[in-house]
Structure formats: structure tokens, C-alpha cells
Amino acid sequence: LFEGGDEFVLIIEVFQDSNHEDQVDTIQTLPIRCMENAFVIEPKFVTNNPFIHRTHGKAFVWFNKSGGENASIDVTIHKRNSRGEEIIDQEIVSVQTELVYTDLSPTPPMPLLPLKERRSKCKSENPLFRRMRSDPVFYQNESSKDFSFRIEEVSKHHCNQNGFKLKVKSLDSNKYHPGFLAESIIVKSKPKKDEQQTNAKSEGGLIEFEENELEPVKKKRKTSLAKKDFSEEENLLACVPYSVLVNTLLTETRKCSFCGSPLCDETIFSDSYHDKICPVSRALPFLHFSA
């Protein structure tokens, strides 16, 4: 009945009263275009990302603070026809990617940070949707392209939304219907603390900081340990001044000395700001602070 590229509208007549056929309301839809070809998004992250887990159905949870700043969500974008066949032709097609909510409404360009983080010096300059690769361009005889991206904020800051999806559309051709990721992605920072502690214990328990590793810092800063009787403390590995510990774990560029995550004085002892495998993150549950 229709061919690719054809457009039509639906006109619906609504009769108010069956006895009065002259009282008719007309409703017309927006133009509907028939498309033979479309973009299809293949979720490679389902099998190749250890920090993404299926919750139910097509819903997945991604821990965006795990794996470092370069950890990403990987997909493959395909050009396919209505029969599901790959399209290989001579046309050059540029694609634009976009992050949307599960209801397909647009997302804001920047994260919706809580007020306390907006006032913090650690405010990220990254957009909510960060492309880890440039938007794809399909050149001659290419039917698929890999793409990677990050979502820089947890889902709980986006009220009344159930997650995110990826949208792709053509910039210079009306031959392809936009494609949407069938799977929805819920973003969390890291697994729960009890899971992290379990993993830490199974991998060797406490993380020991050798005293000789702190010695150069103590000499440079000319600080000394306060004399105090810790004989009653159990399982005490070492006692160091707070300032020495901070200067040891925080580089001059305000990053973690172990995992390289950007930090400040307020976030250095928060596990959500370190990588999952960072020794500091694993040791935090066993640190005790005293006046």
C-alpha cells in the first residue's frame, strides 16, 4: 500500500450523538512516514561489561563509579531494512547520538547535582551524556559502527524517571528511522557497602599501610606522631596524623594516589569517589578516626 518515504495522516471522526449525524468532531494525527530502513542498537554491554547487571527483563543497572573514568557503556549501531538485513550501500550517513529517558523524553545537558555538590569545589564539568567516541559516520559499504558513552549521574537525582536510553538518528538522510536502545539503564554509583566489604574480605581482608611508606612524608612535612597509649586498641595496624594521611593519599593535582580519581578534602574518605578496586576504598571500612 505504501512505499518507503511515503507520508500519510489519519483522520478520525467522532460522533457526539448517534441520532444527530451532523454533530461530528474531527481529529487528525500528525504526519506518519513509512520507513523501509532504520537504525538498530545492539547492547554489547550485556556480555562484556562486569559493572552492568540485569535487574529484570530489559532493565540493567550500571555502576558508573566502578572501573575508572574511562569505563563506558558499549553498543553497536546497525543499518537494517524492514526484513532485518544489514544495509550495505554507497551512501555516506552521519549519525547523531542522544541520551533520553525511558519515556523517550529528552534529558538535560548537564547533571542535576544536589545542592551540596553544586556548592562543592569538586563539581564535575562533564555533561550528563559523555561520548567516549565521536558520533559515528557510516561510509561506503559500512553497515555497523561501534559506539561508547557514559552517564555521569546516578538515576536517583532524576525524579519520576525509570532510567535512560540511547537514541540515534540520521543527520543528513531521511531514509532511516531513528533507533532507540531497547534496554533501559539505571545508574548507581557503586554496589552496596556490605557487598564491597564482603569482596574485600574474600580478597585478603585488611589493607596494610607499611610504616616505611609514610616515613618520607613525615620527614618532608616535619610532623611527628602524637604520643598516646594504644595498647588497649585491638587490630590497630598504624596510627598517623590526619594531615599526613591526607597528604599521602592525595596528590598535588587533587587526585587519589592509587586510582587517580579526582578528589578534595571532603571526599577523600568517601568510597563513592574511588574506583571499586582502589586500596583506599577497600580500607575505608577499617579506618577509625579519633581526636
Side-chain angles (χ1 to χ4, degrees):
L1 183 60
F2 296 102
E3 296 181 356
D6 289 347
E7 290 189 357
F8 64 92
V9 297
L10 291 178
I11 300 177
I12 304 173
E13 294 183 346
V14 180
F15 293 90
Q16 298 290 347
D17 190 342
S18 59
N19 297 325
H20 299 83
E21 296 185 359
D22 57 336
Q23 297 180 0
V24 180
D25 289 333
T26 302
I27 301 175
Q28 179 174 312
T29 67
L30 294 173
I32 301 172
R33 174 177 292 177
C34 298
M35 306 294 290
E36 171 64 20
N37 306 320
F39 293 113
V40 178
I41 305 176
E42 176 189 354
K44 294 176 61 178
F45 59 81
V46 172
T47 57
N48 71 355
N49 194 321
F51 306 114
I52 297 183
H53 306 282
R54 186 193 303 270
T55 57
H56 61 276
K58 290 184 176 294
F60 289 79
V61 169
W62 179 49
F63 300 104
N64 69 347
K65 295 296 183 182
S66 300
E69 285 295 315
N70 293 324
S72 61
I73 303 173
D74 302 326
V75 300
T76 300
I77 302 172
H78 300 271
K79 295 189 306 180
R80 291 178 180 170
N81 58 28
S82 59
R83 296 179 296 277
E85 301 168 340
E86 299 279 320
I87 299 175
I88 301 176
D89 54 21
Q90 302 302 307
E91 183 179 8
I92 298 177
V93 180
S94 298
V95 171
Q96 182 182 56
T97 59
E98 179 183 348
L99 186 70
V100 297
Y101 293 118
T102 52
D103 61 1
L104 307 187
S105 60
T107 58
M110 298 300 294
L112 302 176
L113 295 173
L115 180 60
K116 64 178 181 179
E117 294 188 23
R118 290 200 300 268
R119 294 175 176 174
S120 168
K121 296 179 181 179
C122 296
K123 180 181 177 181
S124 174
E125 298 298 329
N126 291 326
L128 175 63
F129 174 54
R130 182 151 70 100
R131 298 171 177 85
M132 305 304 288
R133 300 188 185 191
S134 300
D135 279 346
V137 177
F138 290 85
Y139 293 101
Q140 296 177 349
N141 299 323
E142 291 184 332
S143 63
S144 62
K145 284 284 189 178
D146 291 333
F147 181 69
S148 301
F149 65 96
R150 286 180 57 86
I151 305 173
E152 296 293 351
E153 187 171 48
V154 294
S155 297
K156 70 178 182 180
H157 296 160
H158 297 254
C159 299
N160 303 320
Q161 297 294 339
N162 297 322
F164 302 95
K165 287 178 176 285
L166 179 67
K167 173 185 176 180
V168 297
K169 64 180 181 180
S170 174
L171 285 178
D172 47 20
S173 175
N174 58 3
K175 289 175 53 179
Y176 294 90
H177 189 277
F180 295 89
L181 183 66
E183 292 75 12
S184 61
I185 301 174
I186 301 169
V187 183
K188 297 184 178 181
S189 58
K190 284 191 173 185
K192 294 180 179 179
K193 287 186 177 181
D194 54 352
E195 296 178 3
Q196 293 185 13
Q197 293 176 4
T198 300
N199 293 336
K201 292 178 180 179
S202 63
E203 294 174 4
L206 299 178
I207 308 300
E208 296 187 12
F209 291 94
E210 299 292 340
E211 186 174 352
N212 56 8
E213 292 180 359
L214 298 178
E215 190 66 28
V217 180
K218 291 191 292 184
K219 289 182 179 180
K220 183 177 179 180
R221 301 290 179 179
K222 296 182 179 181
T223 57
S224 60
L225 297 178
K227 294 183 179 179
K228 185 177 180 180
D229 183 12
F230 290 95
S231 58
E232 296 181 359
E233 296 288 339
E234 296 181 359
N235 301 323
L236 183 65
L237 297 181
C239 174
V240 296
Y242 181 85
S243 60
V244 174
L245 184 60
V246 171
N247 290 330
T248 302
L249 303 180
L250 198 62
T251 67
E252 294 182 357
T253 57
R254 315 299 287 176
K255 293 184 178 181
C256 175
S257 301
F258 293 89
C259 65
S261 299
L263 300 169
C264 63
D265 293 344
E266 291 77 13
T267 60
I268 187 172
F269 296 112
S270 175
D271 61 352
S272 62
Y273 288 86
H274 293 270
D275 289 346
K276 180 179 180 181
I277 59 175
C278 179
V280 178
S281 176
R282 295 168 56 192
L284 286 177
F286 309 105
L287 291 180
H288 299 280
F289 300 93
S290 60

